[in-house]
């Protein structure tokens, strides 16, 4: 790995830090509904107007045309000043838009990338189904080709922000009777189309971000196909490489900040015995030290992945190592926070934010973007090249 920050990079960091300190919203981000959507879009517009949107997007698509190192610096400073989560803009910015750049037509890019970057639209991703989650290749949502058009019927689930989205990258089966990876097609679906219904699902954390989406003869015009009909699996792998690689870089960077915050919490609260601070408990102190070391290791892994991606131009299967490690580490961090807070955790109510909300939500980290079991399969097969057992 060769990743050294130049004088120009450090100057870039200073500029980022200054702009964020002057522009990060001071009001809390709403937790749900149209208010949350409006907040996220307004924050994205402010970044665009300030010249900080699309740091590593090509200039031809109105981005800054900078590299992943600068993107990483942005995320580090973003976490340091506790800027709001990208939220409803996440899919469009981090893997919807990049997938269009990599696999979409010039027309698709011209129609959609500008509005994503300017904070005008929300995107969601239609991959998982009730019987095709981690085993995505078994999906059944059909796209019947009639002439040059495609008509979609079926159901997707766990679709983040579908009820607030304008567009969706949607993976469907366009070849009747096809199996597994064959006969799939990726399309852009207008979420306001006739026949689309999104129903929010409340999680145990109280959020209503996930949705199940139903499609009843939804019309997809040929100009909304991403790539070629029947070659959707190739496009989906591109999307997943972003989702498991660079898309969650901000969350990986922010996790180190949370360890620092958790140490501060342990200094404030009483330990299990009640006679001393939690930080003075040997087991809690040991776990905090281990978490701090492991988040440093995660940062090094992220740097290494950035270095590799700079050479290839697209995240590789090594992103699954980081995704898996991050998910397991995040869950252990939040479980420890729950222990430190103790019986006060029982006062949690839906709609609350903070450590207990994040504890409940952390269980999604080992599922979303492919379960930890799937990540281990990818690591064994594509990174370690181990022989298949079945």
């Amino acid at each position: 790995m060769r990743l050294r920050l130049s004088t120009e990079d450090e100057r870039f960091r200073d500029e980022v830090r200054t702009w964020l300190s002057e522009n990060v919203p001071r009001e809390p981000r709403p937790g749900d509904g149209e208010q949350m959507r409006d907040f996220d879009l307004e924050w994205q517009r402010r970044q665009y107007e300030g010249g900080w949107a699309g740091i590593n997007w090509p200039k031809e698509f109105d981005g800054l045309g900078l590299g992943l190192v600068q993107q990483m610096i942005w995320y580090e400073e973003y976490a340091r000043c506790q800027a709001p989560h990208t939220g409803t803009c996440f899919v469009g910015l981090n893997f919807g838009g990049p997938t269009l750049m990599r696999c979409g037509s010039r027309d698709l890019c011209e129609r959609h990338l500008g509005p994503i970057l300017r904070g005008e639209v929300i995107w969601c991703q239609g991959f998982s189904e009730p019987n095709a989650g981690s085993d995505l290749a078994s999906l059944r949502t059909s796209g019947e080709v009639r002439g040059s058009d495609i008509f979609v019927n079926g159901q997707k689930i766990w679709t983040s922000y579908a009820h607030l989205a304008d567009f969706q990258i949607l993976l469907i089966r366009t070849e009747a009777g096809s199996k597994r990876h064959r006969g799939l097609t990726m399309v852009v679906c207008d979420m306001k189309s006739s026949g689309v219904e999104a129903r929010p699902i409340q999680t145990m954390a109280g959020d209503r971000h996930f949705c199940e989406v139903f499609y009843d003869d939804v019309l997809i015009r040929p100009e909304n196909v991403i790539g070629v009909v029947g070659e959707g699996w190739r496009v989906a792998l591109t999307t997943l490489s972003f989702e498991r690689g660079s898309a969650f870089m901000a969350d990986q960077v922010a996790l180190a900040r949370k360890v620092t915050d958790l140490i501060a919490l342990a200094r404030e609260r009483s330990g299990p015995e009640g006679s001393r601070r939690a930080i003075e408990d040997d087991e809690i102190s040991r776990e905090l030290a281990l978490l701090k070391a492991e988040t440093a290791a995660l940062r090094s892994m992220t740097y290494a992945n950035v270095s590799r991606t700079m050479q290839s131009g697209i995240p590789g299967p090594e992103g699954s190592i980081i995704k898996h490690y991050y998910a397991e580490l995040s869950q252990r961090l939040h479980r420890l926070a729950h222990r430190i807070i103790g019986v006060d955790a029982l006062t949690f109510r839906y709609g609350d934010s903070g450590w207990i909300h994040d504890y409940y939500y952390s269980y999604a980290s080992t599922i979303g973007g492919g379960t930890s079991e799937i990540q281990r399969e990818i690591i064994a097969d594509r990174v370690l090249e181990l022989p298949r057992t079945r």
Side-chain angles (χ1 to χ4, degrees), residues 32-33 36 88 122-130 155-165 168 191 196-203 207-215 361:
D32 200 4
M36 177 176 63
T88 55
I122 300 299
W123 282 62
C124 62
Q125 174 184 318
F127 274 25
S128 294
E129 298 181 5
Q155 179 186 358
K156 297 290 182 178
I157 200 167
W158 310 125
T159 306
S160 298
Y161 307 115
H163 60 309
L164 302 173
Q168 178 184 61
M191 293 298 286
V196 176
E197 180 185 2
R199 301 176 187 171
I201 302 170
Q202 182 168 305
T203 70
D207 300 322
R208 290 165 53 86
H209 301 165
F210 296 128
C211 295
E212 52 184 344
V213 185
F214 298 88
Y215 308 84
Y361 198 79

Side-chain angles (χ1 to χ4, degrees), residues 20 23-30 36 39-40 42-44 46-47 74-75 77-79 81-88 250-251:
L20 285 172
N23 288 276
V24 165
R26 304 305 174 193
E27 66 275 20
R29 176 177 178 266
M36 177 176 63
F39 180 96
D40 292 347
E42 173 57 33
W43 173 224
Q44 179 60 29
R46 190 184 305 180
Q47 293 172 73
W74 168 267
Y75 285 147
E77 294 304 315
Y78 198 93
C81 71
Q82 297 182 295
H85 191 273
T86 311
T88 55
D251 294 319

Side-chain angles (χ1 to χ4, degrees), residues 270-276 281:
S270 297
E273 299 173 354
S275 59
R276 54 181 177 171
D281 180 89

Side-chain angles (χ1 to χ4, degrees), residues 28-245:
R29 176 177 178 266
D32 200 4
E34 292 292 337
Q35 289 182 321
M36 177 176 63
R37 172 193 160 100
D38 292 344
F39 180 96
D40 292 347
L41 289 175
E42 173 57 33
W43 173 224
Q44 179 60 29
R45 278 193 293 270
R46 190 184 305 180
Q47 293 172 73
Y48 177 81
E49 292 167 358
W52 293 103
I55 287 173
N56 68 332
W57 281 33
K59 290 184 178 180
E60 64 178 307
F61 299 125
D62 214 13
L64 298 184
L66 301 177
L68 281 174
V69 171
Q70 288 76 32
Q71 181 74 80
M72 182 183 63
I73 291 171
W74 168 267
Y75 285 147
E76 288 178 340
E77 294 304 315
Y78 198 93
R80 188 193 65 80
C81 71
Q82 297 182 295
H85 191 273
T86 311
T88 55
C89 295
F90 180 84
V91 170
L93 289 168
N94 290 291
F95 43 91
T99 297
L100 291 182
M101 292 180 214
R102 180 68 61 172
C103 304
S105 65
R106 169 64 60 173
D107 173 64
L108 278 175
C109 290
E110 290 179 348
R111 280 194 282 131
H112 293 296
L113 294 180
I116 291 173
L117 211 57
R118 294 191 295 269
E120 297 173 1
V121 293
I122 300 299
W123 282 62
C124 62
Q125 174 184 318
F127 274 25
S128 294
E129 298 181 5
N131 293 305
S134 295
D135 185 15
L136 181 60
S138 65
L139 69 86
R140 299 172 60 184
T141 297
S142 68
E144 182 183 351
V145 180
R146 304 176 194 168
S148 59
D149 295 328
I150 299 173
F151 289 83
V152 178
N153 289 277
Q155 179 186 358
K156 297 290 182 178
I157 200 167
W158 310 125
T159 306
S160 298
Y161 307 115
H163 60 309
L164 302 173
D166 301 287
F167 296 98
Q168 178 184 61
I169 49 173
L170 173 63
L171 189 62
I172 56 178
R173 190 169 297 281
T174 47
E175 182 182 331
S178 62
K179 301 294 184 181
R180 307 299 298 165
H181 312 102
R182 298 181 181 275
L184 303 178
T185 301
M186 186 83 85
V187 300
V188 174
C189 176
D190 185 335
M191 293 298 286
K192 304 301 189 292
S193 297
S194 175
V196 176
E197 180 185 2
R199 301 176 187 171
I201 302 170
Q202 182 168 305
T203 70
M204 64 181 182
D207 300 322
R208 290 165 53 86
H209 301 165
F210 296 128
C211 295
E212 52 184 344
V213 185
F214 298 88
Y215 308 84
D216 182 9
D217 238 18
V218 178
L219 171 62
I220 305 292
R221 298 292 187 188
E223 60 268 23
N224 291 316
V225 172
I226 305 175
V228 178
V229 172
E231 295 187 8
W233 187 250
R234 177 182 61 84
V235 181
L237 288 179
T238 299
T239 304
L240 290 171
S241 70
F242 287 116
E243 185 175 5
R244 295 165 181 168

Side-chain angles (χ1 to χ4, degrees), residues 72 249 252-253 297-307 322:
M72 182 183 63
M249 193 187 298
Q252 296 154 22
V253 170
L298 178 65
R299 182 179 181 182
S300 295
M301 291 163 63
T302 302
Y303 274 40
N305 198 47
V306 167
S307 180
I322 298 175

